[in-house]
Amino acid sequence: MGKRASEVPVAVPPMLAEDARTLPSDPGWVFEWKWDGWRTCMTVAPDGTTRLTSRNGNDLTSYFPELARTLREPLAGQAAVLDGEIVALNEHARPEFGRLQRRRTSTGTARLAQAVPVHFFAFDLLQLGGDSLLAAPYEQRRAQLDDLALPPGGRVMIPPFYADADPDDMLKAAIDAQMEGIVAKKVSSRYLPGRRSADWRKHALFHSHTALIGAWRPGSGQRTDRLGALLLGAHNPAGDLVYIGDVGTGFTDATLDDLLDRLRPLERRRSPFADQVPRDRARGVHWVAPQLACDVVYRTFTPDQRLRHTSFRGLRWDIDFDHIVVPAVSGVPPTP
């Protein structure tokens, strides 16, 4: 018996890239842009029924109605599984992570879909029809993806890749285009679900990390009655939530209001951190249950386990909180 027309294929956990200070310059590699969005698996049934699954297995379908059934015509009745990124573009057609945050709400979805539209950038094809492509090399999967011939300007787009390019030229182009970074993929690489592999290597143009919010501190001056900074934590090797620093920049007025609305119901009397927060950081704070996660950009993570020169990027909903760990000690990010 064949699959029913409305039966959506099972989502595939994403393959992950290793961090690399330098990118490969030998033949047999291709380069892709590193998109600033939410890694998502798009699964499509033969009748076009679409499901969107986050990196940690959450169903995101209801938040992005404009992506539903977008591949019904191009797939011509075939089931498919695609790996990609949900991205919100700004007025300069650049990915903007902050805009994407506005879409993660259970109210006003249709209105937000018009105000803040998103695209699905498909960069890998993992199943087509009844055939799994996981064991096929990247170059074959990519060729079949390109053969889908998606209509230009649609909600689902296939971003470019660059074969045997000079990595320094790619990094310079990424800086000029204000992209997040570069991912290098070996053309012979198989797709390894849920695994990190040296066959894929990423080079970010800045450090970023996901942290849990353990407290908020009121601001000063024009922000006296508003949020001034967030106190951040992550799990150490023993599994304890430890304090790793603050973030007090990168907020819009709308973000400040939204954060307070979300944090106030989570307030508690005692610190959620297993270690002692420095007195000057803890003065006047409102402790909260660590039930919200956020991304921050930072310059360094110091040997005393502190994020330095941080800026807020947005809340994260697509990561298992147990997997939010203390980052590695870092230096200044390399530049070409």
Side-chain angles (χ1 to χ4, degrees):
M1 294 290 290
K3 286 192 174 183
R4 296 188 304 272
S6 61
E7 187 173 346
V8 181
V10 175
V12 175
M15 180 172 171
L16 304 174
E18 289 191 351
D19 290 314
R21 290 188 64 85
T22 58
L23 292 171
S25 56
D26 46 317
W29 292 81
V30 300
F31 297 91
E32 299 177 357
W33 302 121
K34 192 173 186 300
W35 301 101
D36 197 5
W38 283 341
R39 185 77 175 275
T40 304
C41 181
M42 175 181 278
T43 51
V44 187
D47 69 352
T49 301
T50 305
R51 184 171 298 143
L52 303 167
T53 305
S54 72
R55 175 174 163 178
N56 65 338
N58 288 336
D59 192 333
L60 302 177
T61 310
S62 63
Y63 298 105
F64 304 104
E66 68 267 47
L67 296 179
R69 297 183 179 272
T70 50
L71 292 182
R72 184 174 184 175
E73 296 299 326
L75 290 176
Q78 298 182 93
V81 178
L82 300 100
D83 182 12
E85 198 98 4
I86 294 177
V87 175
L89 302 176
N90 62 21
E91 62 274 17
H92 305 295
R94 300 285 186 249
E96 188 173 306
F97 191 77
R99 289 174 60 85
L100 191 58
Q101 302 304 303
R102 295 173 56 189
R103 292 300 304 272
R104 187 54 162 82
T105 176
S106 59
T107 60
T109 302
R111 178 180 55 81
L112 281 173
Q114 291 185 334
V116 188
V118 300
H119 293 81
F120 181 79
F121 285 4
F123 46 69
D124 216 323
L125 181 62
L126 312 182
Q127 177 184 327
L128 186 61
D131 299 326
S132 170
L133 301 176
L134 298 179
Y138 168 89
E139 57 185 346
Q140 178 183 330
R141 301 195 310 271
R142 180 69 199 214
Q144 290 189 245
L145 176 64
D146 290 337
D147 285 344
L148 294 181
L150 303 185
R155 288 294 170 204
V156 178
M157 305 174 68
I158 300 176
F161 72 96
Y162 304 91
D164 297 322
D166 182 273
D168 287 343
D169 290 342
M170 290 296 302
L171 286 170
K172 290 174 183 175
I175 292 172
D176 292 341
Q178 300 178 9
M179 300 299 292
E180 190 182 12
I182 297 295
V183 180
K185 297 180 179 179
K186 187 176 289 187
V187 296
S188 62
S189 61
R190 299 191 306 164
Y191 196 93
L192 306 175
R195 289 173 57 185
R196 194 175 299 278
S197 170
D199 286 346
W200 287 14
R201 303 178 191 178
K202 62 180 179 180
H203 181 108
L205 296 175
F206 52 81
H207 295 297
S208 65
H209 198 71
T210 304
L212 285 162
I213 300 171
W216 67 276
R217 187 169 56 245
S220 58
Q222 295 182 345
R223 280 165 60 179
T224 300
D225 299 325
R226 309 182 78 178
L227 183 149
L230 301 172
L231 275 64
L232 307 174
H235 296 105
N236 64 16
D240 299 321
L241 183 69
V242 295
Y243 170 74
I244 59 171
D246 300 5
V247 60
T249 63
F251 306 106
T252 65
D253 288 342
T255 299
L256 290 172
D257 293 339
D258 179 64
L259 282 170
L260 275 186
D261 288 343
R262 295 178 186 274
L263 290 169
R264 280 178 171 142
L266 301 179
E267 290 191 10
R268 52 186 278 176
R269 297 182 63 181
R270 295 186 178 181
S271 168
F273 300 113
D275 56 343
Q276 189 73 31
V277 177
R279 289 185 180 180
D280 62 325
R281 304 286 91 186
R283 189 174 298 118
V285 302
H286 299 254
W287 304 113
V288 298
Q291 295 178 19
L292 289 176
C294 67
D295 268 3
V296 294
V297 177
Y298 64 96
R299 187 66 173 168
T300 58
F301 186 68
T302 62
D304 64 347
Q305 305 283 284
R306 296 290 183 266
L307 298 170
R308 302 298 186 200
H309 307 292
T310 54
S311 180
F312 181 83
R313 294 182 68 212
L315 294 175
R316 287 298 294 262
W317 314 94
D318 57 334
I319 292 179
D320 188 331
F321 286 4
D322 290 338
H323 294 164
I324 296 175
V325 298
V326 174
V329 174
S330 61
V332 176
T335 55

